[in-house]
Amino acid sequence: MTRYIEQAMGTVFSFDVRHDADEAVARAVAWLHHVDEVFSTYRPDSVISRLARGEVGLTDCPPEVAHVLALCAQVELDTGGYFTTCPGGRLDPSGLVKGWAVEEASLLLTEAGAPLHCLNGGGDIQLGPDPGPWRVAIADPLRPETLRTVVTGHDLAIATSGNAERGPHVLNPHTGRPAGKLLSITLIGPRLTTVDAFATAAYAMGDDARDWVEEFDSLEAFAVTTDGHAWQTTGFAAYTDLAL
């Protein structure tokens, strides 16, 4: 069993790996720092910062940059523009990068023979493919010390977007104003790259997110509205043993 915490990309990553997998975890940690070096918008020397300033072209960048930007373009299309790589008019794929980095780290662990794991990147979670004792608590945004629901499962991604911890930081790209119809929304699905980016977009949509998520067979959602009530999509109950 390996448990490890690492700071990278401006947040905290935790590894709970139910195998003796120190070497595999070390490779996954190195991968997270590589992603930070390439994609951090807070580092003026990062590849994405240099690309945004026009100092390098896309063909000069590592191949993962074009890959991530292609993923972002697809998510922007799938969300009707509620996800964007240019918030405020500046290139910034951060809304997808963290989830993608965690998902890739999870794949590294699985390929190394450690499929029973839980990776948590700043509250966004990828569960490995082997069944395990995973129960993921979703906090009440009005009372963060209490639970609102618990998600159970494996081979599953969980991401929550809201304003409880960071205030009104998610903008509605269509209005340019902070999203404010929901207190939080949690999305679950198979892969964190999409689930994390979609959660941000769904939060910007507000209550319209419910019908939008229902269009995807592989996604479910649980949301808390500004009046403290909750709603969930049709299949969400299959992933929880507690819903309040």
Side-chain angles (χ1 to χ4, degrees):
M1 180 184 298
T2 302
R3 287 180 176 163
Y4 188 79
I5 293 176
E6 182 76 7
Q7 290 190 343
M9 300 169 62
T11 190
V12 175
F13 294 83
S14 65
F15 294 74
D16 187 345
V17 185
R18 302 303 170 93
H19 307 267
D20 292 327
D22 290 348
E23 185 177 340
V25 170
R27 289 201 298 271
V29 168
W31 159 253
L32 294 175
H33 284 290
H34 169 72
V35 171
D36 193 26
E37 291 171 0
V38 173
F39 288 102
S40 174
T41 58
Y42 296 99
R43 300 173 64 156
D45 61 337
S46 73
V47 175
I48 206 70
S49 293
R50 296 180 65 206
L51 180 64
R53 293 194 300 267
E55 296 175 3
V56 296
L58 189 58
T59 57
D60 303 313
C61 299
E64 55 262 39
V65 174
H67 176 63
V68 162
L69 292 181
L71 291 172
C72 288
Q74 184 61 53
V75 170
E76 186 168 357
L77 182 65
D78 291 339
T79 62
Y82 278 97
F83 176 91
T84 178
T85 55
C86 295
R90 182 177 177 81
L91 178 64
D92 181 1
S94 301
L96 181 137
V97 165
K98 177 160 66 72
W100 168 74
V102 172
E103 182 183 334
E104 291 294 316
S106 173
L107 289 173
L108 283 173
L109 291 176
T110 298
E111 291 168 358
L116 183 53
H117 61 258
C118 172
L119 268 61
N120 185 329
D124 298 324
I125 294 168
Q126 181 75 54
L127 302 177
D130 269 16
W134 309 123
R135 301 179 75 246
V136 179
I138 308 301
D140 187 329
L142 291 171
R143 296 173 296 167
E145 72 282 359
T146 63
L147 303 183
R148 195 63 192 252
T149 189
V150 175
V151 173
T152 63
H154 65 280
D155 203 14
L156 192 67
I158 303 124
T160 298
S161 184
N163 60 14
E165 294 186 5
R166 296 174 56 191
H169 65 287
V170 177
L171 298 180
N172 180 335
H174 296 297
T175 66
R177 296 192 295 270
K181 299 296 185 180
L182 300 174
L183 291 179
S184 71
I185 185 166
T186 297
L187 260 61
I188 57 176
R191 297 291 173 259
L192 192 56
T193 299
T194 302
V195 168
D196 190 16
F198 275 15
T200 301
Y203 182 73
M205 292 179 195
D207 284 325
D208 291 340
R210 185 173 188 170
D211 289 339
W212 176 74
V213 172
E214 292 279 15
E215 296 176 4
F216 296 88
D217 292 338
S218 61
L219 292 178
E220 300 296 341
F222 177 89
V224 180
T225 62
T226 53
D227 60 7
H229 291 94
W231 57 255
Q232 62 189 48
T233 52
T234 305
F236 181 83
Y239 296 93
T240 183
D241 53 16
L242 172 66
L244 304 178

